Amino acid sequence: MNPHNFFAELKRRNVYKVAVAYAIIAWLLIQAASILFPTFEAPAWVMKVFIAVIALGFPIALIIAWAFELTPEGIKRTEPGEELQSKPSRSRAWIYVVAIAGILSLGLFFLGRLTAPTKQSAPGEISKSIAVLPFESLSEDKSNAYFADGIQDEILARLSKIADLKVISRTSTQKYKSAPNDLREIAQRLGVANILEGSVQKVNDQVRVTVQLINALNDSHLWAETYDRKLIDVFAAESDIAQKIAVSLEAKLTGREKEDIQSAGTKNPQAYDALLRALALRNSSSRVDLEKQIEFSRRAVELDPNYADAWANLALTEIYKSQTPWKSEEQKERARTAAETALRLAPNSANAHKAMGLFYRYCLKDDRAALAELETARERAPNDGGVLEAVGLLERAQGRIQDALVTLKKAADLDPLNAEIWIVLSLTYAGLRQFADAHLMVDRALAITPDDIDTLAGKASFYQAQGDLNAAWRLLGSHPFPRTEWAGLIYYQQYYLQRDYDKLIAELGVYDLADKNLPPVIVLWVQATLGNLYLLKGQAELAAPYVEKVRRAIKELQAQNIVLPEVYRILIEFAARLRDRDQVEDEIAFILAYTRDNQWLLPSSEYDAARGYAVLGDLEKALPLLQDSLSKPNGTTAATLRLDPAWDGVRNDSRFQKLANARP
């Protein structure tokens, strides 16, 4: 076909006109949709489907324009022009039409994708990312330093509700000073383009907040503002800062997001001040600061009983305390009251749903209800790394491991300098027996906290599971036996697998079991471990004093609903070495029932149960539990079977050997 004739035929058949008209109308529709869909809070997939339909319709419109024409008699098939009728190769024209239509269709599709809102920042959208560095306190009264921390936290909370932004969590930003010189390096480490710096000065009830937004990649100042406000009017300044940041970064705000970031929590300045004092202590792990957080949060709700954010923070601190040795039933009820009050006062609050979700998770052990609340919190505050981590852990508990990995990686992206998230990721990969990835993740945590003994011990535990005790010892050997719960268990495992029972007895012998500050569950573990070690050494007379103490302590802790699944491995083994089958089966029944609905913990409990039956010499009952544990995430490994002394009594059985010699 002569190209000149072909393009003339395109013009004759009005293909050009249809293409231009379609492109203009499609562009207008996409622009309208990009505004209206977020306003009416349509899910992201609606926009994607809308654009896909428009893109697919473009080549169809061109083909119809080529093949048909509109006449007074209706739509009829278009007859070829005279020049084209004389050419036998008419089919090639269709190739040109389809090719041109395909190219234009792809262009339109990607244009639509660029205009569509997204839930998270892609690499090409790093401009919509921000880290809020700690605010400098300019107050002459140094005791007012808490106020700068609280203002930073409040601005972050508002920004976290904007889905079209990537906002780095405070856990990562607090590691930097308020006005560093190396902004580009900090931005690159945090994975953002923009940095918000600020300062706060408080004199009595007058507050001055100064902020500046900087593009750290090119060192350009995007926006700066100074706010002089009364204490109670600071809410308006925080909202204005969040909105101006969104405008500067061209982030789209939905109607709900605008409403959320404009919300003022209280009209009582003293209540607001009390909450800021509590928030400033949020990242401290000391018992004294935890009690102060509770005290300040309770003071805030006493001053303003309708202050939902203060009730939510009170609930979160009470829930955290419920996971410490200082918990009580009364304290758990206080957590319930605070969470329910926050949700009643602010049913759409992300913090209220977060508090309620964590209460279900940690106080009631109701993972299903917890996940429902936390999913709502994630929807309302998509940049809250803490919520994402909690959701990921619950997805993992449900057996949705791949979903959990996606969620946890998103949490790590928003909180890249939070070692805890990298540790959780490493443990998840280790549970999948993907040890190369597990080591990569724990190394990220070690880059943040290189001297943390718990993190080092965690990496050593991966080598233990792989059967490489020498590599584990290279990490553990240069450090003394720790007294922390997590690292202590891993050190115990190392000596136990090495069968150095005397070393373990010497290390555990330094514990003052009469110390009232030692948590009862730790006292129980030490007593059961010492008794078990003496039995392993054939010294039953030295184990005897621990028998009744352990049995009594188990009943007391179970009655108080204080359960640490990791402790049951030694409790079951101790009872089995005493040949107390009834006690073994009671403890196995209890821990299997306790972890039955948690698909992450259950395989580990099955292994603990299988060990107990193996020590009793009952391989018939041990094998089904062992096989199930080996087949599931977070179960045991074949390498562990080869090293664990609990299997010595059945080691010559061919069925056991087949499992133990399987590839790891």
Side-chain angles (χ1 to χ4, degrees):
M1 172 181 286
N2 186 323
H4 175 75
N5 293 337
F6 169 67
F7 289 110
E9 185 70 4
L10 285 177
K11 183 177 180 181
R12 188 182 74 82
R13 297 179 183 228
N14 293 320
V15 174
Y16 291 139
K17 293 179 180 179
V18 170
V20 171
Y22 193 100
I24 292 172
I25 294 171
W27 184 83
L28 292 172
L29 287 173
I30 290 171
Q31 293 302 308
S34 67
I35 297 170
L36 295 174
F37 286 179
T39 301
F40 290 100
E41 303 177 10
W45 63 264
V46 174
M47 187 65 171
K48 294 176 182 177
V49 171
F50 182 74
I51 293 172
V53 170
I54 290 177
L56 290 173
F58 188 61
I60 295 172
L62 296 188
I63 292 170
I64 292 173
W66 173 271
F68 300 97
E69 62 180 332
L70 185 63
T71 70
E73 291 77 23
I75 296 176
K76 292 185 177 181
R77 184 178 178 85
T78 304
E79 295 297 330
E82 292 181 1
E83 293 182 354
L84 290 179
Q85 287 176 342
S86 65
K87 303 297 182 181
S89 55
R90 181 175 183 269
S91 60
R92 293 184 181 178
W94 286 94
I95 297 174
Y96 289 129
V97 172
V98 172
I100 294 171
I103 292 170
L104 292 174
S105 178
L106 284 173
L108 181 61
F109 176 75
F110 285 112
L111 173 65
R113 289 294 299 269
L114 289 173
T115 61
T118 58
K119 286 295 182 183
Q120 62 185 37
S121 298
E125 297 173 321
I126 193 173
S127 61
K128 295 182 182 181
S129 56
I130 185 171
V132 181
L133 296 188
F135 282 19
E136 183 180 5
S137 176
L138 300 180
S139 303
E140 293 184 5
D141 185 351
K142 300 304 178 185
S143 65
N144 282 337
Y146 74 91
F147 200 82
D149 291 339
I151 293 292
Q152 178 209 11
D153 204 89
E154 288 280 280
I155 292 172
L156 268 174
R158 294 173 192 275
L159 290 174
S160 73
K161 296 176 172 63
I162 303 175
D164 203 30
L165 283 180
K166 172 186 175 182
V167 184
I168 300 301
S169 297
R170 186 173 185 264
T171 315
S172 291
T173 59
Q174 71 171 349
K175 301 179 184 297
Y176 300 104
K177 61 181 181 179
S178 54
N181 298 320
D182 52 345
L183 281 183
R184 180 188 291 268
E185 180 182 340
I186 292 172
Q188 289 175 343
R189 192 173 184 195
L190 295 175
V192 297
N194 306 286
I195 299 287
L196 184 73
E197 295 180 336
S199 63
V200 178
Q201 186 174 16
K202 178 176 180 289
V203 180
N204 298 322
D205 67 341
Q206 288 293 127
V207 180
R208 167 170 288 185
V209 180
T210 302
V211 290
Q212 60 176 342
L213 182 63
I214 302 168
N215 184 317
L217 301 185
N218 58 23
D219 197 29
S220 62
H221 285 64
L222 303 177
W223 165 73
E225 190 71 72
T226 297
Y227 298 87
D228 289 305
R229 297 285 191 273
K230 292 282 188 181
L231 177 59
I232 197 55
D233 296 327
V234 171
F235 283 119
E238 294 164 352
S239 298
D240 190 61
I241 290 169
Q243 290 187 72
K244 286 184 176 176
I245 288 172
V247 170
S248 296
L249 302 186
E250 298 182 355
K252 295 180 176 66
L253 288 176
T254 68
R256 186 182 70 189
E257 289 168 351
K258 290 178 182 178
E259 181 181 339
D260 286 349
I261 65 177
Q262 288 173 354
S263 137
T266 181
K267 296 181 179 180
N268 186 312
Q270 287 76 31
Y272 179 58
D273 185 79
L275 180 60
L276 291 188
R277 290 177 185 271
L279 294 176
L281 299 169
R282 180 178 291 182
N283 290 310
S284 172
S285 58
S286 76
R287 181 179 180 180
V288 171
D289 285 345
L290 175 60
E291 295 295 348
K292 285 182 178 178
Q293 270 201 78
I294 293 174
E295 178 185 340
F296 286 131
S297 298
R298 189 159 294 283
R299 174 67 175 156
V301 300
E302 288 172 353
L303 289 165
D304 182 357
N306 294 318
Y307 196 176
D309 283 342
W311 279 110
N313 197 65
L314 176 60
L316 291 170
T317 51
E318 293 281 19
I319 292 163
Y320 180 77
K321 186 177 178 181
S322 75
Q323 302 309 298
T324 70
W326 315 296
K327 66 180 180 180
S328 66
E329 284 300 313
E330 293 78 9
Q331 178 265 326
K332 185 172 76 172
E333 285 304 309
R334 290 196 296 271
R336 179 199 295 273
T337 299
E340 289 177 346
T341 304
L343 200 56
R344 175 177 57 79
L345 292 171
N348 295 322
S349 162
N351 280 339
H353 284 284
K354 177 181 179 179
M356 200 72 240
L358 294 180
F359 175 77
Y360 280 127
R361 173 73 178 92
Y362 293 109
C363 297
L364 299 186
K365 311 300 180 186
D366 185 344
D367 287 356
R368 189 177 301 277
L371 185 57
E373 292 290 343
L374 289 168
E375 286 286 14
T376 302
R378 172 163 63 170
E379 182 186 354
R380 306 295 301 204
N383 284 292
D384 189 323
V387 169
L388 285 167
E389 183 183 1
V391 169
L393 290 173
L394 285 167
E395 289 172 334
R396 194 179 71 174
Q398 289 186 345
R400 296 160 51 198
I401 310 299
Q402 295 306 317
D403 289 342
L405 284 172
V406 171
T407 303
L408 292 170
K409 286 177 182 177
K410 172 63 176 173
D413 186 46
L414 294 176
D415 205 355
L417 300 186
N418 184 348
E420 179 186 333
I421 294 178
W422 295 110
I423 292 170
V424 170
L425 273 167
S426 72
L427 292 171
T428 305
Y429 278 116
L432 292 170
R433 302 174 183 86
Q434 297 176 13
F435 290 107
D437 290 323
H439 285 294
L440 286 175
M441 295 298 104
V442 79
D443 286 345
R444 294 289 299 266
L446 286 170
I448 300 167
T449 56
D451 299 321
D452 184 72
I453 192 65
D454 282 331
T455 309
L456 285 168
K459 186 173 178 66
S461 74
F462 303 155
Y463 286 124
Q464 291 172 353
Q466 292 174 275
D468 191 346
L469 295 183
N470 290 331
W473 184 247
R474 285 194 293 271
L475 289 171
L476 302 177
S478 59
H479 300 277
F481 196 103
R483 297 293 171 241
T484 59
E485 294 175 22
W486 169 239
L489 287 172
I490 294 168
Y491 271 73
Y492 163 81
Q493 179 78 347
Q494 180 73 18
Y495 288 117
Y496 180 77
L497 295 177
Q498 292 176 170
R499 300 170 188 258
D500 192 348
Y501 307 137
D502 289 332
K503 173 66 174 177
L504 280 172
I505 289 171
E507 291 290 350
L508 297 177
V510 303
Y511 278 91
D512 179 7
L513 300 182
D515 183 357
K516 299 298 183 183
N517 292 319
L518 198 63
V521 71
I522 301 301
V523 173
L524 170 62
W525 181 80
V526 171
Q527 291 173 333
T529 302
L530 285 171
N532 188 60
L533 292 170
Y534 284 127
L535 291 174
L536 275 166
K537 287 169 57 66
Q539 297 173 321
E541 70 283 359
L542 296 177
Y546 297 105
V547 176
E548 286 305 317
K549 291 179 181 178
V550 168
R551 287 173 177 164
R552 185 168 58 251
I554 291 172
K555 292 180 180 179
E556 290 175 357
L557 292 178
Q558 286 180 353
Q560 300 174 44
N561 199 30
I562 299 175
V563 182
L564 205 62
E566 297 87 346
V567 172
Y568 271 77
R569 177 167 300 183
I570 195 64
L571 295 179
I572 293 169
E573 184 181 351
F574 183 36
R577 294 196 185 282
L578 290 169
R579 296 291 180 259
D580 188 343
R581 189 179 187 94
D582 289 342
Q583 184 71 22
V584 169
E585 294 194 330
D586 283 348
E587 290 170 9
I588 287 175
F590 179 85
I591 197 59
L592 290 180
Y594 184 81
T595 58
R596 178 185 58 226
D597 296 327
N598 190 314
Q599 297 304 308
W600 184 253
L601 294 179
L602 181 60
S604 181
S605 297
E606 289 178 325
Y607 180 63
D608 296 343
R611 290 174 80 253
Y613 284 123
V615 172
L616 289 174
D618 189 347
L619 193 57
E620 299 304 320
K621 283 200 170 183
L623 275 176
L625 291 162
L626 177 57
Q627 289 168 333
D628 208 43
S629 181
L630 281 165
S631 69
K632 292 178 178 178
N634 205 38
T636 191
T637 62
T640 301
L641 296 183
R642 296 192 289 270
L643 295 169
D644 192 341
W647 299 99
D648 287 354
V650 297
R651 206 165 287 283
N652 294 328
D653 188 287
S654 60
R655 295 168 296 174
F656 174 80
Q657 289 178 350
K658 183 178 179 180
L659 295 174
N661 293 323
R663 292 183 63 186

